[in-house]
């Protein structure tokens, strides 16, 4: 057995390379400065020059937010199928699996955050833009059902372009299915914390991404339903520069706090400990 194949890494500049990475440099999309991969990793995948937030794959995100070696994954074997026989969907799924090195667009499981057992899910933007299909909805629903049964809090990290068009109405139905699971978990006194990352849009934003008891966001994350170009063309008017930016969404009352990436784990620990004390 080739052991190297058991530990595939994400196919992107920051997290996968055939070369040694100590001297490698990548170019920031915002400031165009070249910075070593190691330096960016040590800085929580944030450009040290301009503060640009590099995308982080779901598995890495979970490692950043949870205690060392505490994560136990659920339903890893679940994969989408071309239920509607949508043209070229199988090819898109295969390409997404190769790019993300994951079976689906979300990772779910149980871990400890600050020593507190917590259910956690993280969506992966490398898998078809983090789009939500039947399997994504089912995995998140199962996680909330497990959390309700075990009386555990849930932390969700969202990044999504919305519902997966290749699954039609089946994909849209996941909005109500996951939302119902969130409600059942809430009715039992469960805590649900959402961390919005760039971008969180479409059906995900219109359902479980906005149903948290506490809603957090990374700086400058785009949060909204329809994209700005669609809104601009529909309204036939220019939009402000901060349209759908997390800071503006917070001013409108939909986000409770904007938390820098390097502070997120400690911030979650404090929230979970408050809930653990007073529940």
């Amino acid at each position: 057995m080739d052991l190297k194949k058991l530990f595939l890494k994400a196919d992107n500049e920051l997290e996968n390379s055939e070369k040694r990475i100590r001297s490698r440099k990548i170019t920031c999309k915002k400031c165009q400065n070249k910075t070593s991969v190691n330096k960016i990793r040590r800085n929580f995948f944030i450009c040290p020059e301009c503060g640009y937030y590099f995308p982080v794959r779901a598995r890495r995100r979970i490692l950043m937010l949870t205690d060392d070696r505490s994560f136990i994954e659920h339903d890893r074997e679940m994969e989408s199928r071309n239920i509607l026989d949508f043209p070229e969907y199988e090819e898109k799924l295969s390409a997404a699996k190769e790019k993300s090195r994951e079976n689906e667009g979300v990772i779910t499981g149980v871990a400890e955050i600050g020593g507190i057992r917590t259910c956690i899910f993280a969506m992966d933007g490398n898998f078809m833009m983090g789009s939500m299909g039947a399997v994504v909805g089912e995995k998140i629903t199962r996680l909330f059902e497990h959390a309700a049964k075990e009386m555990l809090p849930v932390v969700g990290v969202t990044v999504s372009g919305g519902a997966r068009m290749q699954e039609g109405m089946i994909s849209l139905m996941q909005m109500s299915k996951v939302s119902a699971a969130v409600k059942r978990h809430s009715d039992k006194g469960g805590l649900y914390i959402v961390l919005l990352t760039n971008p969180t849009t479409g059906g995900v934003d219109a359902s479980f991404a906005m149903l948290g008891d506490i809603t957090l966001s990374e700086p400058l994350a785009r949060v909204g339903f329809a994209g700005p170009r669609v809104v601009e063309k529909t309204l036939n008017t220019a939009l402000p520069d901060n349209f759908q930016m997390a800071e503006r969404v917070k001013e409108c009352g939909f986000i409770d706090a904007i938390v820098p990436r390097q502070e997120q784990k400690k911030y979650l620990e404090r929230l979970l400990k408050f809930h653990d004390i007073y529940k």
Side-chain angles (χ1 to χ4, degrees), residues 142-152 184-185 188:
R142 289 188 183 190
L143 185 71
F144 273 98
E145 290 173 343
H146 178 78
K149 181 180 178 181
E150 299 294 327
M151 292 303 297
L152 298 176
R184 292 192 294 270
H185 175 255
K188 286 196 171 185

Side-chain angles (χ1 to χ4, degrees), residues 76-236:
R76 184 172 187 174
E77 73 287 351
M78 295 181 67
E79 300 180 5
S80 290
R81 294 183 298 159
N82 192 1
I83 303 173
L84 303 182
D85 197 25
F86 195 94
E88 301 181 0
Y89 188 28
E90 289 94 345
E91 290 81 355
K92 288 184 180 294
L93 288 172
S94 297
K97 290 176 184 178
E98 183 177 354
K99 180 180 180 180
S100 66
R101 299 297 192 263
E102 301 293 347
N103 286 334
E104 254 304 334
V106 69
I107 298 174
T108 63
V110 179
E112 290 188 0
I113 300 177
I116 298 175
R117 286 189 69 228
T118 305
C119 288
I120 185 170
F121 71 85
M123 306 184 76
D124 198 322
N126 285 325
F127 197 104
M128 295 185 69
M129 295 180 66
S131 56
M132 176 180 60
V135 172
V136 169
E138 180 65 17
K139 290 181 70 171
I140 298 175
T141 297
R142 289 188 183 190
L143 185 71
F144 273 98
E145 290 173 343
H146 178 78
K149 181 180 178 181
E150 299 294 327
M151 292 303 297
L152 298 176
V154 177
V155 171
V157 183
T158 61
V159 54
S160 180
R164 196 172 297 176
M165 60 174 289
Q166 293 85 353
E167 297 183 22
M169 184 60 69
I170 296 173
S171 177
L172 294 175
M173 289 170 62
Q174 305 310 308
M175 297 168 62
S176 57
K177 184 173 78 174
V178 178
S179 297
V182 173
K183 181 63 165 59
R184 292 192 294 270
H185 175 255
S186 177
D187 288 344
K188 286 196 171 185
L191 174 67
Y192 174 32
I193 303 173
V194 183
L195 174 59
L196 308 171
T197 70
N198 185 51
T200 296
T201 59
V204 171
D205 175 76
S207 57
F208 59 88
M210 285 292 164
L211 293 178
D213 299 296
I214 301 172
T215 304
L216 310 177
S217 176
E218 289 192 330
L220 299 176
R222 183 171 296 283
V223 179
F225 183 63
R229 283 180 294 181
V230 175
V231 176
E232 194 166 47
K233 288 182 178 180
T234 302
L235 299 177
N236 195 27

